[in-house]
Amino acid sequence: MRSIWNGNISFGLVSIPIKMYPATEDHSVSFRQVHTADGGRVRYRKVCELEDKPVDSAEIGRAYEDADGALIPITDEDLAALPLPTTRSVEIEAFIPASEVDPLQIDDAYYLGVNGTAAAKPYALLREALKRSEKVGIAKYAHRGRERLGMLRVVGDAIALHRLLWPDEVREPSDVAPKEKVTVKPAELDLADTLMETLGEVDLDDLRDEYQEALEALVAAKVSGAAPVAEPGEEPKGAQVVDLVAALRDSVRSARQARGEAPGEEGEEATVHELRGRKKAPAKKAPAKKTAAAKTAAAKKTAGTKKTASTKETAAKTTAKKAGTEKAAAKKTAAKKTTAKKQTGKRASRPAS
């Protein structure tokens, strides 16, 4: 890999010699402009407006165009005299959590590699410090004629540098957000949440640039002299007013079919999942509780009735037994009295001697 910039990472008083390499590459098919009449190549030529003739690169300088159109020349000596301490250095200003960096600011990416054996130890030190802190380094550096803002983070065993836009280079979205007052219903949110869950997650490595593949196939067919076969595509649909809930339900069914899941019966409504944090009201069980209470009361009443009857029966038996005992005692007493009277009569009837 060919380096595009040499310099140093300034980490406090530690200086790390590094080389900068592009971290990304463009695989898109590039085209040249041609003259449609004869196929001749159309090229750009740099022409001086005053002399109306082509100019070589060695004769071309730079100038600033004023508001009234006047050109003010800026020479290499003028730029070299600027107080720019980051000309050949990536100076780390601070370390912050990556979440504090607005993704809209992230631009081109580069790998920073060591420049020489002596740079290996301090390079590894910075890399491991970034890993352990779980933070990113915010740095300033000069590249392509201007000072840049950058973010250093660890990628594998290397340190990557992301060029960041300055905060004032990020536009506010106030002009693009809907100005109409819109109310989103809970049912619509539930269906949107269901659709998100049905679509699920994806491994970015599995995604392919299908347009690029089709374009390469077209070029290959042209090179081989074969007639390219165009696959019929869907006609672009214009804007139309739709039932949002119905569209969400259809989207859920389509997503399930794409994932090989059962789409459900015809006309069946999509399952609605409650959003996280929302709790369903507990099902009413009042009738069940009332029945159980009635059964309990009936059981208690029956038990009480049985107990009362048993008590009455026991009392009756006790009374009868007591009456029988008293009756037997009375008969026994009457018998004793009768016996005593008979003996007294016998004594009275004996003659005197």
Side-chain angles (χ1 to χ4, degrees):
M1 194 183 304
R2 184 179 179 181
S3 64
I4 59 174
W5 186 85
N6 294 348
N8 298 281
I9 297 178
S10 178
F11 178 33
L13 297 178
V14 179
S15 183
I16 309 172
I18 52 101
K19 290 184 178 182
M20 182 185 290
Y21 304 89
T24 61
E25 54 187 354
D26 188 1
H27 289 162
S28 61
V29 176
S30 59
F31 297 103
R32 304 295 185 186
Q33 291 185 331
V34 296
H35 186 198
T36 56
D38 54 17
R41 176 84 178 271
V42 176
R43 296 180 180 272
Y44 288 103
R45 293 181 179 178
K46 296 181 179 180
V47 178
C48 175
E49 291 181 351
L50 297 179
E51 298 179 354
D52 195 21
K53 66 178 184 178
V55 179
D56 293 336
S57 298
E59 301 178 90
I60 298 176
R62 59 176 66 85
Y64 174 78
E65 185 175 3
D66 203 354
D68 58 1
L71 296 175
I72 304 170
I74 304 294
T75 65
D76 292 340
E77 290 76 14
D78 294 332
L79 296 177
L82 293 175
L84 191 61
T86 58
T87 302
R88 307 300 298 176
S89 177
V90 177
E91 294 192 358
I92 299 178
E93 302 287 332
F95 295 91
I96 63 174
S99 58
E100 293 186 13
V101 179
D102 187 347
L104 290 173
Q105 291 182 251
I106 301 176
D107 205 339
D108 299 333
Y110 306 92
Y111 288 131
L112 302 181
V114 295
N115 189 5
T117 307
K121 182 64 179 289
Y123 183 96
L125 172 64
L126 176 59
R127 180 190 64 202
E128 297 305 314
L130 287 171
K131 281 184 180 179
R132 189 167 72 171
S133 67
E134 298 183 348
K135 294 183 178 181
V136 297
I138 301 300
K140 289 183 179 181
Y141 67 103
H143 189 217
R144 295 178 180 173
R146 58 174 294 190
E147 188 170 55
R148 311 278 185 175
L149 187 64
M151 177 182 73
L152 279 72
R153 70 183 185 95
V154 178
V155 178
D157 291 331
I159 297 176
L161 171 67
H162 291 271
R163 182 167 74 85
L164 299 180
L165 299 176
W166 296 96
D168 60 358
E169 292 179 314
V170 178
R171 294 177 176 176
E172 292 293 332
S174 55
D175 294 336
V176 298
K179 295 180 174 59
E180 298 80 9
K181 187 176 180 181
V182 179
T183 301
V184 179
K185 299 178 180 178
E188 296 168 343
L189 269 177
D190 292 342
L191 276 171
D193 186 61
T194 301
L195 178 58
M196 291 170 65
E197 291 180 1
T198 305
L199 292 175
E201 299 179 354
V202 67
D203 186 349
L204 294 180
D205 292 334
D206 295 337
L207 299 179
R208 299 179 295 108
D209 187 346
E210 297 180 16
Y211 180 82
Q212 176 72 15
E213 292 175 356
L215 188 57
E216 291 175 355
L218 171 63
V219 173
K222 287 279 190 178
V223 171
S224 63
V229 179
E231 295 183 2
E234 295 183 0
E235 291 293 329
K237 298 178 180 179
Q240 53 184 328
V241 179
V242 297
D243 182 345
L244 183 58
V245 173
L248 286 169
R249 286 174 179 157
D250 291 342
S251 299
V252 171
R253 293 192 187 97
S254 299
R256 285 177 176 168
Q257 289 176 338
R259 292 165 62 93
E261 299 176 3
E265 298 295 333
E266 186 67 25
E268 179 185 354
E269 294 187 357
T271 303
V272 177
H273 296 274
E274 292 292 337
L275 292 177
R276 294 177 181 84
R278 296 176 59 187
K279 296 182 179 179
K280 286 186 176 181
K284 295 182 178 180
K285 296 183 180 180
K289 288 182 179 179
K290 185 176 181 181
T291 303
K295 288 181 178 179
T296 304
K300 288 182 177 179
K301 186 175 181 180
T302 303
T305 304
K306 289 181 178 180
K307 187 175 180 181
T308 303
S310 178
T311 303
K312 289 182 178 179
E313 185 178 353
T314 303
K317 288 181 179 180
T318 303
T319 304
K321 187 177 180 180
K322 186 177 181 181
T325 303
E326 291 178 351
K327 188 176 181 180
K331 286 182 178 181
K332 190 175 182 181
T333 303
K336 284 182 178 181
K337 287 182 177 180
T338 304
T339 303
K341 285 181 179 180
K342 287 180 178 181
Q343 289 178 355
T344 304
K346 286 180 179 180
R347 288 174 184 172
S349 59
R350 289 177 183 175
S353 53

